[in-house]
Amino acid sequence: MVLLPRCLSHLWSSRRHGYWTLLFRSNPSSLDYLLLVLGVLAAIAAGVPFPLLGIIFGQLVDDLNSTSCNASSWSKSGVESGIQQKVLLLVYISLANFFAIYIHTCCWSLFGERLVGRLRRQYFKSLLRQELAFFDNLPAGEVPTRLTSDMETIRVGTSEKVGIFVSSLAYLVGAYVVAFLKAPRLAGTLVFMIPAFVLMVSLGGFYTARFTRRTSSHLAAAASIVSQSLSNISLIHALGADQRLEAKLIDILSEAQRAALYKGTAAAIQFGFTFLVAYSANAVAFWQGSLEIIRAAEAGVPDVTAGAVYTVIFVLLDASFVVSQVAPFLQIFGAAAAAAETLASVAERTSRIDGTVVINDDPPTPNSWDIKFQDVGFAYPSRPESQALKGVSLSFADGKFTAIVGASGSGKSTLGGLLTRLYDSDAGSISLGGQNISTLNVRELRRHIATVDQDPAILCCSILENIAFGTTSTMDLDPEQRPVSSRLFQMTRMVRQGEELCSALRKEPVTVQRLFEQVQQAAVLADAHSFVQDLQHGYATLVGVAGVELSGGQQQRLALARALVRDPPILLLDEATSSLDSISEQKILNALKENRNGKTTITIAHRLGTVKAADRIIVMHEGRVVEEGTHNELLERGGRYKVMSEAQSVSTLVSAEPSDVSTTASSISTDIKALQATTRRGSFKSFRRPSFRRSPASHNKQVEPQLRWAAVRNFTLLARPHLPSLVVGVIGAVIAGGAYSADAVIFGTTVGRLDSCNGVSKVKSVGKLAGLLFFILALSAFLANSVGGSAFGRVAEKVVFKIRILTFRSLMHRNLQWHTSGGRTPALLLSYFTADTNALAGLSGVITGTILTILVNLIASILLTHIIAWKIAVVLLATLPILLGSGFMRLYAVSSLQVQHQKLYAIPAGISLEAVASIKIIASYSLEGIFDERYRQSLQAPYKASLRALAYTNFWLATAYSVSFLIYALAYWWGARQIIAGTYSQTQFFIVLPALLFSAQSCGQMFALAPDVSNARLAAMRLFNLIKDEMSAHPVARIEGGVEKKAPEEDLEKALMSASIAKPGHESRPMAIEMRGVSFVYPDRPDTLVLKDLDISIQPGQFCALVGPSGAGKSTIISLLESFFAPSSGTIHLDDQSITSTTTTTISHRSSISLVPQTSTLFSDTIRFNIALGAHPFHSPSDAEIVQACVQANIHSTITALPHGYATQCGANASHFSGGQKQRLCIARALVRRPRLLLLDEPTSALDTESEASLQATIESLRGRMTVLVVAHRLCTIRRADRIFWVEDGRCMYSGTHAEMLVGCPGYRESAAHQAVG
């Protein structure tokens, strides 16, 4: 009893904030209100005919009773005439019912589609409005999960099922109206069903919503892991981290499974309770009805006849049946309301720093662009106990060039974040031109600032759009009132389709042409124009997700061009050239110097050579300003700056003459290079692997029909360990299905003997017996549905749990070429884990039990009716193909629509994923409007596809429902004729009739679940097509053992191992590298030769380096050594093992290699977890090993200074750490493996001098114990290398030691000169 007030309180709360609020959320238009009103009215109209049917049947009972009790006055012609009239009436009702159903299903389907569209836009728009602190603790997969699975849950819960539910309620109300008109006292007795159903709804809804929210929360966390893994698949492969991530995923999914099991049990009990109420009502009705007949007979006033009692019982029985059949909808509505509440927490959140607010009036321009920080204190919201800035006071003079240097984590980048109001300071003030920036409009403030972040954040669009987004005019409207950004999108797409850029540009308005000129000028200043022109589509080239198609240096140049095209009064450069070679860097610095034109320029840098010319240099340490002055002034003081300068000096003097330099430092002659280039162009096709030209089947391609049986077979295989639960579920479904036939037997037998002419005593005994039997049936149906539904729910959740694990495993085991080909993106592949597995999980225990119960009911009713009255049953059975055919057509239509939806909604999901990953650059450049417009446009295609499909799919749904009326008419006509002819008795007819009618209604109700079944069927085929290799390679028992038993980490990893690679030995000798004649093209860029007959040889234990211009192919060499791709020609050997191919048997060498990638990537977990990911796949590192690696990477002291030490959370996208700290953590992650080969791709680009010196010392200590290969632009990092390779234009042009390269390699010598700090 204590729970009742809580549940009723929840029901009242849900009325205000739950489902009812959901229907009117997001500012519906007049059309939406019209659809809702019309849908409700049509649904009510669709429910009214059923009570009318009860009246007709009641009249039939009275007619037939009159013939049996008054045989002398019976008229055959009169009865047949009445039958014909009632049959015509039923036909008319059937037609009216068809149109009513069609209208309300179309209205509600359209209403749900429009509602979800508005919610998507509202959620995404609100997301873009949030301050950066909101995203710091936001899981990586949170947004795609909300915009896919949660939105689909809302769509299902606000579409045609609402109309069906309203129609069922209208039927219930109509049934009670008819019942009170026919037998008021009997109807009043049965009113108790209403509060009983309300109690059932409130209790069931309360617990279902609670556990749905828990399940959704855990699944969002799991999706976050999968999303991060897919976005960094190359790093996962390099680390061999898939097993550890899978173990973490299992822990989270176990919690989700536990909550889902509770939800399924609550829903099953709720479903069983509907039958308990319905059949108990029948028990009371027959007992009370018999008393009413006796009372009327004894009083001599036939106001309550057997026909009236029959009508009351029939309509209330049927109404209860229909309401019980829509009980699964309550679970769907509850899930929709819970999902909406989760979305509302973001959609209705007020941002503390809203950069989307636009001021209509022209805002005042600051008098000057000088910037002042006064006693500024700040701690990141995710780490409030750790002060990033401590009373900082400094100024940036208007029009001057100011540099900020210092150790990683000293607060340099934090200053930039506060200036652009990505965060607000906790103490002190920041002013611009004498005005406190907190009083300025955020959007206007950012309009005057252009930033280049240390992470370039290149967006997934064309190069032209990436640069143009730096201007403030991309959201301006052209003469045709179209945003300029849409113009750029259309124009670049036409260029990629074959149109010349000049031709496409001439068709555009002057504003677009002028913008293109500005983009070109900015690209020239950023030294990007030359490499852009060499690309196949030039400025229209797509750069891929996160700019993956470009090198790190090329990405940084685009980011710089994006800042320069704005031509702002304030330019903020945060490690803007860290990934560039020295020559390119110097070109850009000179261009920036010439283009400064009075700009207030703030540069954050570790390379002191880039800031020597600054008007003022600020040195920071541990959140405080410790030194200020010019380059020379700071050197003279002999403080921290001088120490940093001396550490970075690169001597360009060598004692050896050029003739004394080793012949290994030799160049390739111009004639040979020209000849090779010519030959290569002529024989280019010979380098291509056929596999590069294949286009794999897309994610949403409908699999072949034979895979359907494979899906069933695999699902059965996964469910086999849960056979006992499955048997319990089947037994429950059989009992529940048989209960309908038992109901028909009790009902028909009782009605046939309930006439007063049979005598009072007999009527009374029949009523008592019927009441007893119905009460027994009520208890049986309650137990069968509750226990059976719970058992099916357990099996479903256990199987889906395994499928989720296998899906993740399969995605992780696919090679990088598969991930980057066939139009696959991380967002698209994430839908396997989110949308597909959720669709499969949609077949919960209640829904699965309902479907099986319906099938059992159909079979049982057919057998029963053929035994009782086969002549009637045969005729009625002939109509079943019509009913089933219309249902299957509905199912087919829904299947086609879902395939299309799955593909089209992958594009909006990709945009949302990119928006979260790039929110910092979106906020800095006020790109919220552009992304909002891109997202809005991406939703139009799915919406239009839905409109086209609605009319078709709902036609078959209306047919499946309304055709049952025609069956009623046929049954009424044919059964009455058989009774008149004396073939069958009245009792036999009333047994056959409800049995077949219940079956017909069940089939119609089953097809209302067609979307859920269809989604699950298609999802199962897609998923099993993906995981079939995993299932064939690894027994289910092994999966079960790893899943069910909470083993220690090492045992769990072994149990979950999926790669067919034997555990390597403990060999620790360094690795040799031999690359001979290696050429390479990326699969998605087959016309661009990246490596050209490359020859590199590295002896075991050597410390070697790859240097050269940006985009020369250095990082590609690292990718080939990791076997991310196979070379197009040539051979690669590590020791004596060839790794030329990328098959599973040739990638075991990865466990002996550690990689520090160019982009510092950490997962949203603790520091300890992130570093442990780098350990050998079969080894769990101890705390001592982790600490040792962190000490070597010079990050241990930083970690121990944090309040939670190694248990500190890194946050989404490692937002809790600076760029240098992230890079040092990645280095520690690589060192904890103690590899035979250490690959470092730009490991010091974001490091301060102290950390760089520490890394150099670490590399020196490792020399001889492991082979080290470094890609670097900072020559001080690799000047002690045993051999340095100069890579340019895909070839190794020179090689030698530092001294040899200074003499023999002009490019190296020039780079060294540029990096000299003296």
PDB file of all heavy atoms in Angstrom, residues 388-389 404-417 572 574-575 602-606 618-621 623 1218 1220 1246-1248:
ATOM      1  N   ALA A 388      43.952  25.992 -12.597  1.00  0.00           N
ATOM      2  CA  ALA A 388      44.716  26.121 -13.832  1.00  0.00           C
ATOM      3  C   ALA A 388      45.413  27.473 -13.913  1.00  0.00           C
ATOM      4  O   ALA A 388      46.525  27.590 -14.447  1.00  0.00           O
ATOM      5  CB  ALA A 388      43.806  25.929 -15.041  1.00  0.00           C
ATOM      6  N   LEU A 389      44.768  28.523 -13.422  1.00  0.00           N
ATOM      7  CA  LEU A 389      45.349  29.872 -13.355  1.00  0.00           C
ATOM      8  C   LEU A 389      45.240  30.370 -11.921  1.00  0.00           C
ATOM      9  O   LEU A 389      44.208  30.194 -11.266  1.00  0.00           O
ATOM     10  CB  LEU A 389      44.624  30.827 -14.311  1.00  0.00           C
ATOM     11  CG  LEU A 389      44.729  30.534 -15.814  1.00  0.00           C
ATOM     12  CD1 LEU A 389      43.941  31.561 -16.608  1.00  0.00           C
ATOM     13  CD2 LEU A 389      46.180  30.513 -16.274  1.00  0.00           C
ATOM     14  N   ILE A 404      53.336  33.578 -25.719  1.00  0.00           N
ATOM     15  CA  ILE A 404      53.222  32.938 -24.413  1.00  0.00           C
ATOM     16  C   ILE A 404      53.934  31.596 -24.498  1.00  0.00           C
ATOM     17  O   ILE A 404      53.617  30.763 -25.356  1.00  0.00           O
ATOM     18  CB  ILE A 404      51.759  32.719 -24.012  1.00  0.00           C
ATOM     19  CG1 ILE A 404      50.962  34.021 -24.113  1.00  0.00           C
ATOM     20  CG2 ILE A 404      51.659  32.161 -22.601  1.00  0.00           C
ATOM     21  CD1 ILE A 404      49.475  33.841 -23.869  1.00  0.00           C
ATOM     22  N   VAL A 405      54.909  31.372 -23.626  1.00  0.00           N
ATOM     23  CA  VAL A 405      55.652  30.113 -23.615  1.00  0.00           C
ATOM     24  C   VAL A 405      55.654  29.579 -22.191  1.00  0.00           C
ATOM     25  O   VAL A 405      55.294  30.273 -21.243  1.00  0.00           O
ATOM     26  CB  VAL A 405      57.105  30.322 -24.124  1.00  0.00           C
ATOM     27  CG1 VAL A 405      57.107  30.830 -25.552  1.00  0.00           C
ATOM     28  CG2 VAL A 405      57.861  31.290 -23.217  1.00  0.00           C
ATOM     29  N   GLY A 406      56.058  28.336 -22.072  1.00  0.00           N
ATOM     30  CA  GLY A 406      56.106  27.715 -20.756  1.00  0.00           C
ATOM     31  C   GLY A 406      55.867  26.230 -20.849  1.00  0.00           C
ATOM     32  O   GLY A 406      55.615  25.672 -21.935  1.00  0.00           O
ATOM     33  N   ALA A 407      55.936  25.585 -19.703  1.00  0.00           N
ATOM     34  CA  ALA A 407      55.781  24.133 -19.649  1.00  0.00           C
ATOM     35  C   ALA A 407      54.351  23.734 -19.985  1.00  0.00           C
ATOM     36  O   ALA A 407      53.416  24.532 -19.872  1.00  0.00           O
ATOM     37  CB  ALA A 407      56.166  23.627 -18.262  1.00  0.00           C
ATOM     38  N   SER A 408      54.168  22.469 -20.398  1.00  0.00           N
ATOM     39  CA  SER A 408      52.829  21.942 -20.658  1.00  0.00           C
ATOM     40  C   SER A 408      52.017  21.979 -19.373  1.00  0.00           C
ATOM     41  O   SER A 408      52.516  21.654 -18.296  1.00  0.00           O
ATOM     42  CB  SER A 408      52.905  20.500 -21.163  1.00  0.00           C
ATOM     43  OG  SER A 408      53.646  20.435 -22.351  1.00  0.00           O
ATOM     44  N   GLY A 409      50.756  22.395 -19.495  1.00  0.00           N
ATOM     45  CA  GLY A 409      49.894  22.458 -18.331  1.00  0.00           C
ATOM     46  C   GLY A 409      50.102  23.678 -17.464  1.00  0.00           C
ATOM     47  O   GLY A 409      49.561  23.756 -16.355  1.00  0.00           O
ATOM     48  N   SER A 410      50.860  24.663 -17.957  1.00  0.00           N
ATOM     49  CA  SER A 410      51.110  25.871 -17.159  1.00  0.00           C
ATOM     50  C   SER A 410      49.988  26.890 -17.279  1.00  0.00           C
ATOM     51  O   SER A 410      50.003  27.905 -16.587  1.00  0.00           O
ATOM     52  CB  SER A 410      52.443  26.513 -17.571  1.00  0.00           C
ATOM     53  OG  SER A 410      52.422  26.872 -18.940  1.00  0.00           O
ATOM     54  N   GLY A 411      49.017  26.650 -18.177  1.00  0.00           N
ATOM     55  CA  GLY A 411      47.873  27.548 -18.286  1.00  0.00           C
ATOM     56  C   GLY A 411      47.854  28.390 -19.533  1.00  0.00           C
ATOM     57  O   GLY A 411      47.026  29.296 -19.666  1.00  0.00           O
ATOM     58  N   LYS A 412      48.720  28.090 -20.502  1.00  0.00           N
ATOM     59  CA  LYS A 412      48.811  28.919 -21.710  1.00  0.00           C
ATOM     60  C   LYS A 412      47.522  28.846 -22.530  1.00  0.00           C
ATOM     61  O   LYS A 412      46.913  29.880 -22.873  1.00  0.00           O
ATOM     62  CB  LYS A 412      50.000  28.468 -22.572  1.00  0.00           C
ATOM     63  CG  LYS A 412      51.323  28.453 -21.842  1.00  0.00           C
ATOM     64  CD  LYS A 412      52.486  28.087 -22.733  1.00  0.00           C
ATOM     65  CE  LYS A 412      52.335  26.698 -23.325  1.00  0.00           C
ATOM     66  NZ  LYS A 412      52.351  25.623 -22.314  1.00  0.00           N
ATOM     67  N   SER A 413      47.089  27.621 -22.860  1.00  0.00           N
ATOM     68  CA  SER A 413      45.869  27.461 -23.664  1.00  0.00           C
ATOM     69  C   SER A 413      44.635  27.904 -22.896  1.00  0.00           C
ATOM     70  O   SER A 413      43.644  28.334 -23.496  1.00  0.00           O
ATOM     71  CB  SER A 413      45.713  25.996 -24.095  1.00  0.00           C
ATOM     72  OG  SER A 413      46.800  25.592 -24.898  1.00  0.00           O
ATOM     73  N   THR A 414      44.690  27.819 -21.564  1.00  0.00           N
ATOM     74  CA  THR A 414      43.560  28.271 -20.748  1.00  0.00           C
ATOM     75  C   THR A 414      43.300  29.756 -20.951  1.00  0.00           C
ATOM     76  O   THR A 414      42.139  30.199 -20.965  1.00  0.00           O
ATOM     77  CB  THR A 414      43.831  27.973 -19.265  1.00  0.00           C
ATOM     78  OG1 THR A 414      44.069  26.573 -19.108  1.00  0.00           O
ATOM     79  CG2 THR A 414      42.653  28.381 -18.401  1.00  0.00           C
ATOM     80  N   LEU A 415      44.366  30.537 -21.114  1.00  0.00           N
ATOM     81  CA  LEU A 415      44.194  31.969 -21.373  1.00  0.00           C
ATOM     82  C   LEU A 415      43.377  32.195 -22.643  1.00  0.00           C
ATOM     83  O   LEU A 415      42.489  33.048 -22.681  1.00  0.00           O
ATOM     84  CB  LEU A 415      45.561  32.647 -21.504  1.00  0.00           C
ATOM     85  CG  LEU A 415      46.423  32.716 -20.240  1.00  0.00           C
ATOM     86  CD1 LEU A 415      47.787  33.310 -20.567  1.00  0.00           C
ATOM     87  CD2 LEU A 415      45.735  33.544 -19.167  1.00  0.00           C
ATOM     88  N   GLY A 416      43.675  31.417 -23.687  1.00  0.00           N
ATOM     89  CA  GLY A 416      42.928  31.542 -24.935  1.00  0.00           C
ATOM     90  C   GLY A 416      41.475  31.153 -24.766  1.00  0.00           C
ATOM     91  O   GLY A 416      40.573  31.786 -25.323  1.00  0.00           O
ATOM     92  N   GLY A 417      41.215  30.091 -23.989  1.00  0.00           N
ATOM     93  CA  GLY A 417      39.839  29.663 -23.757  1.00  0.00           C
ATOM     94  C   GLY A 417      39.032  30.696 -23.002  1.00  0.00           C
ATOM     95  O   GLY A 417      37.839  30.889 -23.271  1.00  0.00           O
ATOM     96  N   LEU A 572      44.685  34.569 -32.490  1.00  0.00           N
ATOM     97  CA  LEU A 572      45.141  33.716 -31.397  1.00  0.00           C
ATOM     98  C   LEU A 572      45.645  32.404 -31.979  1.00  0.00           C
ATOM     99  O   LEU A 572      44.864  31.609 -32.521  1.00  0.00           O
ATOM    100  CB  LEU A 572      43.991  33.472 -30.419  1.00  0.00           C
ATOM    101  CG  LEU A 572      44.258  32.536 -29.237  1.00  0.00           C
ATOM    102  CD1 LEU A 572      45.394  33.056 -28.370  1.00  0.00           C
ATOM    103  CD2 LEU A 572      42.991  32.360 -28.410  1.00  0.00           C
ATOM    104  N   ASP A 574      47.516  28.938 -31.181  1.00  0.00           N
ATOM    105  CA  ASP A 574      47.924  27.995 -30.141  1.00  0.00           C
ATOM    106  C   ASP A 574      48.642  26.823 -30.794  1.00  0.00           C
ATOM    107  O   ASP A 574      48.016  25.904 -31.328  1.00  0.00           O
ATOM    108  CB  ASP A 574      46.693  27.516 -29.368  1.00  0.00           C
ATOM    109  CG  ASP A 574      47.060  26.708 -28.131  1.00  0.00           C
ATOM    110  OD1 ASP A 574      48.255  26.442 -27.934  1.00  0.00           O
ATOM    111  OD2 ASP A 574      46.143  26.354 -27.360  1.00  0.00           O
ATOM    112  N   GLU A 575      49.960  26.856 -30.763  1.00  0.00           N
ATOM    113  CA  GLU A 575      50.774  25.826 -31.426  1.00  0.00           C
ATOM    114  C   GLU A 575      50.327  25.656 -32.874  1.00  0.00           C
ATOM    115  O   GLU A 575      50.103  24.533 -33.347  1.00  0.00           O
ATOM    116  CB  GLU A 575      50.667  24.491 -30.668  1.00  0.00           C
ATOM    117  CG  GLU A 575      51.360  24.479 -29.324  1.00  0.00           C
ATOM    118  CD  GLU A 575      52.870  24.497 -29.428  1.00  0.00           C
ATOM    119  OE1 GLU A 575      53.395  24.292 -30.534  1.00  0.00           O
ATOM    120  OE2 GLU A 575      53.534  24.730 -28.423  1.00  0.00           O
ATOM    121  N   ILE A 602      48.451  36.940 -30.673  1.00  0.00           N
ATOM    122  CA  ILE A 602      48.868  36.184 -29.491  1.00  0.00           C
ATOM    123  C   ILE A 602      49.257  34.786 -29.958  1.00  0.00           C
ATOM    124  O   ILE A 602      48.440  34.077 -30.553  1.00  0.00           O
ATOM    125  CB  ILE A 602      47.734  36.098 -28.449  1.00  0.00           C
ATOM    126  CG1 ILE A 602      47.257  37.497 -28.053  1.00  0.00           C
ATOM    127  CG2 ILE A 602      48.185  35.312 -27.230  1.00  0.00           C
ATOM    128  CD1 ILE A 602      46.016  37.480 -27.188  1.00  0.00           C
ATOM    129  N   THR A 603      50.494  34.413 -29.689  1.00  0.00           N
ATOM    130  CA  THR A 603      50.992  33.100 -30.112  1.00  0.00           C
ATOM    131  C   THR A 603      51.391  32.288 -28.893  1.00  0.00           C
ATOM    132  O   THR A 603      52.147  32.770 -28.039  1.00  0.00           O
ATOM    133  CB  THR A 603      52.196  33.248 -31.055  1.00  0.00           C
ATOM    134  OG1 THR A 603      51.784  33.908 -32.248  1.00  0.00           O
ATOM    135  CG2 THR A 603      52.751  31.896 -31.417  1.00  0.00           C
ATOM    136  N   ILE A 604      50.868  31.077 -28.807  1.00  0.00           N
ATOM    137  CA  ILE A 604      51.265  30.115 -27.776  1.00  0.00           C
ATOM    138  C   ILE A 604      52.173  29.101 -28.444  1.00  0.00           C
ATOM    139  O   ILE A 604      51.788  28.495 -29.465  1.00  0.00           O
ATOM    140  CB  ILE A 604      50.035  29.425 -27.168  1.00  0.00           C
ATOM    141  CG1 ILE A 604      49.129  30.470 -26.491  1.00  0.00           C
ATOM    142  CG2 ILE A 604      50.449  28.345 -26.175  1.00  0.00           C
ATOM    143  CD1 ILE A 604      47.786  29.924 -26.071  1.00  0.00           C
ATOM    144  N   ALA A 605      53.374  28.920 -27.935  1.00  0.00           N
ATOM    145  CA  ALA A 605      54.340  28.088 -28.649  1.00  0.00           C
ATOM    146  C   ALA A 605      55.291  27.406 -27.692  1.00  0.00           C
ATOM    147  O   ALA A 605      55.529  27.872 -26.562  1.00  0.00           O
ATOM    148  CB  ALA A 605      55.124  28.938 -29.645  1.00  0.00           C
ATOM    149  N   HIS A 606      55.830  26.287 -28.150  1.00  0.00           N
ATOM    150  CA  HIS A 606      56.939  25.619 -27.477  1.00  0.00           C
ATOM    151  C   HIS A 606      58.238  25.828 -28.256  1.00  0.00           C
ATOM    152  O   HIS A 606      59.312  25.859 -27.673  1.00  0.00           O
ATOM    153  CB  HIS A 606      56.663  24.118 -27.333  1.00  0.00           C
ATOM    154  CG  HIS A 606      55.627  23.812 -26.293  1.00  0.00           C
ATOM    155  ND1 HIS A 606      55.723  24.213 -24.992  1.00  0.00           N
ATOM    156  CD2 HIS A 606      54.442  23.136 -26.378  1.00  0.00           C
ATOM    157  CE1 HIS A 606      54.669  23.805 -24.309  1.00  0.00           C
ATOM    158  NE2 HIS A 606      53.865  23.149 -25.127  1.00  0.00           N
ATOM    159  N   ILE A 618      55.824  36.229 -22.833  1.00  0.00           N
ATOM    160  CA  ILE A 618      55.369  35.955 -21.470  1.00  0.00           C
ATOM    161  C   ILE A 618      55.689  34.496 -21.153  1.00  0.00           C
ATOM    162  O   ILE A 618      55.306  33.590 -21.901  1.00  0.00           O
ATOM    163  CB  ILE A 618      53.862  36.220 -21.324  1.00  0.00           C
ATOM    164  CG1 ILE A 618      53.546  37.695 -21.619  1.00  0.00           C
ATOM    165  CG2 ILE A 618      53.361  35.825 -19.947  1.00  0.00           C
ATOM    166  CD1 ILE A 618      52.074  37.993 -21.715  1.00  0.00           C
ATOM    167  N   VAL A 619      56.380  34.262 -20.054  1.00  0.00           N
ATOM    168  CA  VAL A 619      56.731  32.909 -19.627  1.00  0.00           C
ATOM    169  C   VAL A 619      55.829  32.524 -18.459  1.00  0.00           C
ATOM    170  O   VAL A 619      55.733  33.250 -17.468  1.00  0.00           O
ATOM    171  CB  VAL A 619      58.210  32.819 -19.207  1.00  0.00           C
ATOM    172  CG1 VAL A 619      58.568  31.383 -18.827  1.00  0.00           C
ATOM    173  CG2 VAL A 619      59.111  33.314 -20.326  1.00  0.00           C
ATOM    174  N   MET A 620      55.150  31.372 -18.604  1.00  0.00           N
ATOM    175  CA  MET A 620      54.235  30.906 -17.564  1.00  0.00           C
ATOM    176  C   MET A 620      54.734  29.608 -16.949  1.00  0.00           C
ATOM    177  O   MET A 620      55.411  28.798 -17.601  1.00  0.00           O
ATOM    178  CB  MET A 620      52.834  30.697 -18.136  1.00  0.00           C
ATOM    179  CG  MET A 620      52.179  31.967 -18.632  1.00  0.00           C
ATOM    180  SD  MET A 620      50.408  31.754 -18.921  1.00  0.00           S
ATOM    181  CE  MET A 620      49.810  31.494 -17.244  1.00  0.00           C
ATOM    182  N   HIS A 621      54.390  29.447 -15.665  1.00  0.00           N
ATOM    183  CA  HIS A 621      54.771  28.222 -14.964  1.00  0.00           C
ATOM    184  C   HIS A 621      53.748  27.967 -13.859  1.00  0.00           C
ATOM    185  O   HIS A 621      53.500  28.838 -13.018  1.00  0.00           O
ATOM    186  CB  HIS A 621      56.172  28.363 -14.369  1.00  0.00           C
ATOM    187  CG  HIS A 621      56.643  27.121 -13.665  1.00  0.00           C
ATOM    188  ND1 HIS A 621      56.907  25.941 -14.344  1.00  0.00           N
ATOM    189  CD2 HIS A 621      56.892  26.870 -12.347  1.00  0.00           C
ATOM    190  CE1 HIS A 621      57.307  25.022 -13.475  1.00  0.00           C
ATOM    191  NE2 HIS A 621      57.305  25.559 -12.259  1.00  0.00           N
ATOM    192  N   GLY A 623      50.510  27.931 -13.754  1.00  0.00           N
ATOM    193  CA  GLY A 623      49.370  28.834 -13.653  1.00  0.00           C
ATOM    194  C   GLY A 623      49.711  30.260 -13.290  1.00  0.00           C
ATOM    195  O   GLY A 623      48.801  31.053 -13.006  1.00  0.00           O
ATOM    196  N   SER A1218      45.924  19.500 -21.044  1.00  0.00           N
ATOM    197  CA  SER A1218      46.464  20.335 -22.113  1.00  0.00           C
ATOM    198  C   SER A1218      47.024  19.448 -23.216  1.00  0.00           C
ATOM    199  O   SER A1218      47.167  18.232 -23.052  1.00  0.00           O
ATOM    200  CB  SER A1218      47.572  21.240 -21.563  1.00  0.00           C
ATOM    201  OG  SER A1218      48.706  20.466 -21.197  1.00  0.00           O
ATOM    202  N   GLY A1220      50.115  19.290 -24.376  1.00  0.00           N
ATOM    203  CA  GLY A1220      51.370  18.661 -23.975  1.00  0.00           C
ATOM    204  C   GLY A1220      51.161  17.532 -23.000  1.00  0.00           C
ATOM    205  O   GLY A1220      51.833  16.493 -23.075  1.00  0.00           O
ATOM    206  N   ALA A1246      53.745  19.064 -29.167  1.00  0.00           N
ATOM    207  CA  ALA A1246      53.048  19.863 -28.156  1.00  0.00           C
ATOM    208  C   ALA A1246      53.782  19.860 -26.817  1.00  0.00           C
ATOM    209  O   ALA A1246      53.218  20.277 -25.813  1.00  0.00           O
ATOM    210  CB  ALA A1246      51.627  19.335 -27.962  1.00  0.00           C
ATOM    211  N   LEU A1247      55.057  19.411 -26.812  1.00  0.00           N
ATOM    212  CA  LEU A1247      55.797  19.311 -25.561  1.00  0.00           C
ATOM    213  C   LEU A1247      56.584  20.582 -25.276  1.00  0.00           C
ATOM    214  O   LEU A1247      57.098  21.245 -26.187  1.00  0.00           O
ATOM    215  CB  LEU A1247      56.752  18.121 -25.585  1.00  0.00           C
ATOM    216  CG  LEU A1247      56.129  16.714 -25.629  1.00  0.00           C
ATOM    217  CD1 LEU A1247      57.209  15.671 -25.458  1.00  0.00           C
ATOM    218  CD2 LEU A1247      55.054  16.553 -24.580  1.00  0.00           C
ATOM    219  N   ASP A1248      56.705  20.878 -23.999  1.00  0.00           N
ATOM    220  CA  ASP A1248      57.575  21.976 -23.591  1.00  0.00           C
ATOM    221  C   ASP A1248      59.010  21.481 -23.594  1.00  0.00           C
ATOM    222  O   ASP A1248      59.300  20.289 -23.771  1.00  0.00           O
ATOM    223  CB  ASP A1248      57.178  22.462 -22.202  1.00  0.00           C
ATOM    224  CG  ASP A1248      57.215  21.353 -21.173  1.00  0.00           C
ATOM    225  OD1 ASP A1248      58.284  21.107 -20.595  1.00  0.00           O
ATOM    226  OD2 ASP A1248      56.161  20.690 -20.984  1.00  0.00           O
TER     227      ASP A1248
END
